[in-house]
Amino acid sequence: MPISHNFDGGNIYVIEDSNSKNIQLRIREDASSCFFQWFYFRMHGLCHIPCNIEIQNAGGATYPRGFENYDVVYSYDRINWIRHPTNFSNGILNIQFTSLQDAVYFAYFAPYSMERHADLIARTLSFPLASLRVLGQTLDGRDLDLIKVSNGNNLNKKKNCWFIARQHPGETMAEWWMEGALEWLGTQNTIERNSLLDLCDLFLIPNMNPDGSYRGHLRTNAAGRNLNREWGKPTMETAPEVFLVKEAMSKIGVDFFLDIHGDESLPHNFIAGTEGLINWSLEKQHQLDFYKNALKDINKDFQTEVGYPIKERGSANLNMSAAQIASQHGCLAMTLEMPFKDTLENPNKTLGWSPSRCKNLSISCLQALNQYLKSLII
Ligand SMILES: [Zn+2]
């Protein structure tokens, strides 16, 4: 078969009656669950041969609307990921492609492998202000990495600001976001970066779900748990990732929290707040509005018009990270969603929403945090 997927983050299943010019595929479900949408595979040995690739079960995926007006990404070098016109009809995702090389990779979004994660951590630790703490191990025995970025100055009352990414491992844009944030924090010796580090210590979990990432999952960890439904009472047996991070947060404290995600369907960047909390207040609303508006003013890829429906007071789901952290720590806690497709406001036909745009947005999020922390002082 001209298709392979048995690598870091790979996911596809080849249907038996495929042939080299008519390739029939299915996306594998996450282990011990029924979620599926993430795919990542290599096609080889079909240079200059027009191929018809069909993902037969796309219509039954967790978010089938995610495939409407969606274009797949492909790459020859696994560095540059380019959009390719893709058709979705009768539940089948269809890619007509003629490869110009002996091997080409296809994915739902630009992948972020665990090898790249290891590179990111190693590179980050060469920055003088960054340090690593391994919070513990996942069910597959992988390290859960926490990066702290601090200027070491503890004279004033600094805030503890947390960012976590990739609870849902198929949302690889979240770790591209982290790469941008860590590079900016580590290398940009600017007034703005230094002002931020005078106001807070930053705690970043670049990958909350290493097992799901390696296994090529969309939403769950090795035990089939959706980590963003485990924040109420996590256990080491089923969701050690959440248990360990929540424990570290309780010890260190949380004054600001942003959970980084991707949304399969909506072609926008947006932030979801925790308006559903029973003690939601005007003060909390002002804080949320301040951050969202600051981010909108800084980055034209971010908007505040479209997003999830706002929850009614008292209807918050405390098993989700932002609601749990806001409730437990009384701080501004939010969920950032980025698109798999593109932004309607600022479309890019060649790349769609892309790693470089994720990285730009992360810098803007840190700049908005700087403004937000200053606003608390005034
Ligand atoms: Zn998510």
Side-chain angles (χ1 to χ4, degrees):
M1 260 304 120
I3 303 291
S4 52
H5 57 85
N6 196 9
F7 46 77
D8 188 338
N11 181 327
I12 208 69
Y13 173 81
V14 183
I15 296 172
E16 277 184 9
D17 59 356
S18 286
N19 59 62
S20 59
K21 286 189 190 170
N22 192 14
I23 297 165
Q24 310 284 308
L25 306 171
R26 292 175 67 83
I27 305 170
R28 262 193 297 112
E29 293 174 345
D30 293 4
S32 308
S33 83
C34 53
F35 296 113
F36 69 92
Q37 187 119 9
W38 169 259
F39 59 87
Y40 177 25
F41 57 90
R42 185 173 82 152
M43 184 175 85
H44 54 89
L46 295 169
C47 189
H48 299 306
I49 298 173
C51 292
N52 179 56
I53 305 166
E54 293 185 347
I55 298 183
Q56 293 279 355
N57 63 344
T62 305
Y63 303 100
R65 291 191 62 191
F67 292 128
E68 293 173 4
N69 302 312
Y70 162 78
D71 286 335
V72 71
V73 295
Y74 74 93
S75 176
Y76 292 112
D77 58 9
R78 305 204 307 157
I79 296 167
N80 300 294
W81 292 87
I82 312 292
R83 299 279 170 173
H84 183 76
T86 303
N87 183 262
F88 180 58
S89 62
N90 299 319
I92 295 172
L93 196 71
N94 181 246
I95 307 160
Q96 308 272 340
F97 196 87
T98 303
S99 182
L100 302 178
Q101 295 188 18
D102 283 339
V104 58
Y105 287 83
F106 294 92
Y108 186 30
F109 191 82
Y112 203 103
S113 69
M114 286 309 297
E115 277 302 304
R116 191 175 183 104
H117 169 84
D119 290 343
L120 174 63
I121 299 295
R123 195 164 69 250
T124 297
L125 294 179
S126 71
F127 306 146
L129 305 180
S131 58
L132 168 71
R133 191 170 136 204
V134 177
L135 296 179
Q137 271 68 45
T138 64
L139 296 172
D140 283 346
R142 293 192 171 84
D143 289 342
L144 191 64
D145 296 330
L146 166 65
I147 296 287
K148 179 181 179 182
V149 181
S150 170
N151 64 7
N153 176 359
N154 291 315
L155 291 177
N156 48 7
K157 234 184 168 214
K158 279 175 151 182
K159 304 290 186 188
N160 296 310
C161 298
W162 286 76
F163 296 87
I164 70 169
R166 257 186 125 179
Q167 290 203 76
H168 297 142
E171 298 164 11
T172 54
M173 57 284 287
E175 198 157 3
W176 288 110
W177 185 103
M178 276 287 173
E179 186 173 301
L182 290 169
E183 285 175 359
W184 187 78
L185 288 167
T187 62
Q188 299 299 306
N189 189 13
T190 59
I191 291 170
E192 201 163 27
R193 195 282 308 260
N194 295 338
S195 160
L196 177 63
L197 292 179
D198 280 339
L199 295 168
C200 70
D201 288 340
L202 291 150
F203 297 87
L204 305 101
I205 312 270
N207 190 327
M208 277 290 295
N209 197 337
D211 295 349
S213 300
Y214 188 84
R215 287 166 173 244
H217 285 187
L218 174 72
R219 273 177 94 72
T220 73
N221 70 354
R225 296 299 180 108
N226 175 353
L227 295 184
N228 204 24
R229 299 296 183 276
E230 296 287 329
W231 286 77
K233 285 184 182 152
T235 70
M236 279 302 285
E237 288 71 36
T238 56
E241 303 88 348
V242 177
F243 182 93
L244 293 165
V245 171
K246 204 177 162 190
E247 188 181 55
M249 286 174 159
S250 293
K251 284 182 185 155
I252 294 166
V254 186
D255 299 299
F256 173 94
F257 174 78
L258 188 62
D259 184 9
I260 320 298
H261 285 256
D263 185 278
E264 289 78 359
S265 303
L266 293 175
H268 304 278
N269 285 295
F270 59 95
I271 276 178
T274 57
E275 295 92 334
L277 289 174
I278 198 79
N279 62 348
W280 188 250
S281 64
L282 209 53
E283 185 195 3
K284 295 284 173 209
Q285 186 68 52
H286 285 320
Q287 291 175 353
L288 174 63
D289 290 342
F290 183 96
Y291 188 82
K292 285 164 65 173
N293 287 326
L295 184 53
K296 186 176 75 171
D297 288 345
I298 295 167
N299 193 311
K300 65 181 186 300
D301 277 334
F302 184 80
Q303 55 82 51
T304 56
E305 302 294 317
V306 187
Y308 297 145
I310 292 170
K311 286 187 171 159
E312 285 187 28
R313 183 195 289 263
S315 67
N317 182 350
L318 294 179
N319 290 321
M320 297 174 75
S321 62
Q324 176 62 224
I325 299 305
S327 171
Q328 193 183 340
H329 295 273
C331 64
L332 176 59
M334 303 169 288
T335 307
L336 172 70
E337 298 282 353
M338 290 178 277
F340 276 82
K341 301 171 183 174
D342 201 349
T343 61
L344 278 189
E345 299 81 14
N346 192 19
N348 180 322
K349 185 125 185 67
T350 309
L351 300 178
W353 187 246
S354 63
S356 63
R357 294 170 80 187
C358 298
K359 291 172 77 166
N360 274 337
L361 184 62
S362 70
I363 296 165
S364 304
C365 288
L366 293 170
Q367 292 167 331
L369 174 61
N370 188 35
Q371 291 184 18
Y372 170 73
L373 294 176
K374 280 183 180 169
S375 79
L376 297 181
I377 298 168
I378 295 164

